[in-house]
Amino acid sequence: MTEPTDVDNDLGLPSRRRFLREGSALLGGAVMAGGLAGSEALAASDNADNLPPNVPEWMKAPGDPMGSQLYGTPSPFEKGVIKNIPDNLPQYLSASGRTPLQDLDGIITPNGLFYERHHGGVPTIDPAQHRLMLHGLVDRPLIFTMDDIRRFPSESHIYFLECSGNPNYKKPYGKTASDLVGLLSCAEWTGVSLKVVLQEAGLQPGAKWIVAEGADAAAMTRSIPIEKCLEDAMLAYSQNGERLRPQQGYPLRLLLPGFEGNMSVKWLRRLRVAAEPTYSREETSKYTDLMPNGSVREFTFYMEAKSIITRPSGGQRLSTPGFHEISGIAWSGHGKVKRVDVSVDDGKSWQEAQLQEPVLTRALTRFRLPWQWDGKPAVIQSRATDVTGYVQPTLAELLAVRGDNYYYHNNAIWPWRIAANGEVSNASA
Ligand SMILES: Nc1nc2c(c(=O)[nH]1)N[C@H]1C(S)=C(S)[C@@H](COP(=O)(O)O)O[C@H]1N2
Ligand SMILES: [Mo]
């Protein structure tokens, strides 16, 4: 093979020398000023033989043949991008694994990194033996096979799913974006509108709630107001184009966009239409909150507006002063994110971030803000506002209203502290 010197290769990419001449213009001047020379320097791990202008090792022989992986997996160099499983919790029957939000881009969570939360382990369900039973206040009680479900007209929507204990109000809050709010993911879901299935059975007068039950050892049970069931609730069987993962409820889950994750019952086996909620364990002893005056907030369905900077974020390090894009995610159970403001001066002033299209209802929204870091210690944070005009509060504001016994629904602003050496840590810890 000949050495690629100043000859354009057949991919039409700029050659090295042209890149050196025009490089800073291509990358927008100020952004990388001085940076190119820096990247020419050898890092400790670099093998000079693989660097320009030499031909790297991996060009000198053909790569792996087709079919060496029948289900693709990430590059071995990405092996650190995995679910975050807290080791300070008993992790068998009631378990959680968090999405590594700080390592992801865009708004879609890859299926292998979707957060998982389960109360009785992950059942292995043969779809041929799975049934969904629909009964109670309906004209025609029905039992569906998975084939029956998939014969209904289907729809696909991108929605986030978030656990309402994400995080809970008990310290310590954790070091990384994943420790803080990694019980959050976003996927394109495909399934059947619950409304369509309910029309098939015929709702009777007095139908006010639907009690959903999962086919796991926990028989997770939650009551859902009928309005939500007739609005955007889905019986989902696919996630990002392929069938649900077992951890996400294979072969069928309920999906209630914008509601606390606990209500999106996985491994869905039963829907009972009722006049009253059932007051199950998960809506009485759990997923309710004690206010300072002794009253209890129950049925706190909606996930309020929230955001977090994922880059730079806790556990990461800024390599050099100068240009850095601040990027993160924002979401609201009430609908679209209207704006995100970012502060780089510990909350003294705020700038409006750019929202990356698409901005979707009850989905994650990516935001970005260009930033010149002067190399001095700084505190950065983001604040979401949703379509209702609601503004994401600070942790201090939430604690002042909700008191010491509140556990779920912590949608606080999470500031990151950047030290002079570039290290990023949790400023609320
Ligand atoms: N059947 C069943 N459904 C369930 C659960 C469960 O343990 N069993 N966990 C709930 C909780 S607490 C959450 S936050 C979401 C998590 O969904 P995921 O594991 O797909 O992320 O599922 C909910 N649905
Ligand atoms: Mo949850």
Side-chain angles (χ1 to χ4, degrees), residues 114-120 161-164 189 214-216 218-220 247-249 253 261-267 287:
F114 204 95
Y115 88 93
E116 52 180 299
R117 172 86 184 94
H118 31 81
H119 298 70
L161 187 71
E162 183 185 17
C163 179
S164 50
W189 305 96
D216 53 340
M220 257 269 324
Q247 293 77 8
Q248 268 65 61
R253 87 175 300 162
N262 185 264
M263 303 176 72
S264 286
V265 173
K266 302 189 280 189
W267 313 293
Y287 301 96

Side-chain angles (χ1 to χ4, degrees), residues 27 84 86 127 132 166 200 202 213 236-237 256 296 300 311 397:
L27 291 168
N84 164 16
L132 172 66
N166 188 41
E200 186 78 5
E213 182 188 86
Y237 51 76
L256 302 176
V296 164
T300 43
R311 199 174 148 209
E397 286 167 341

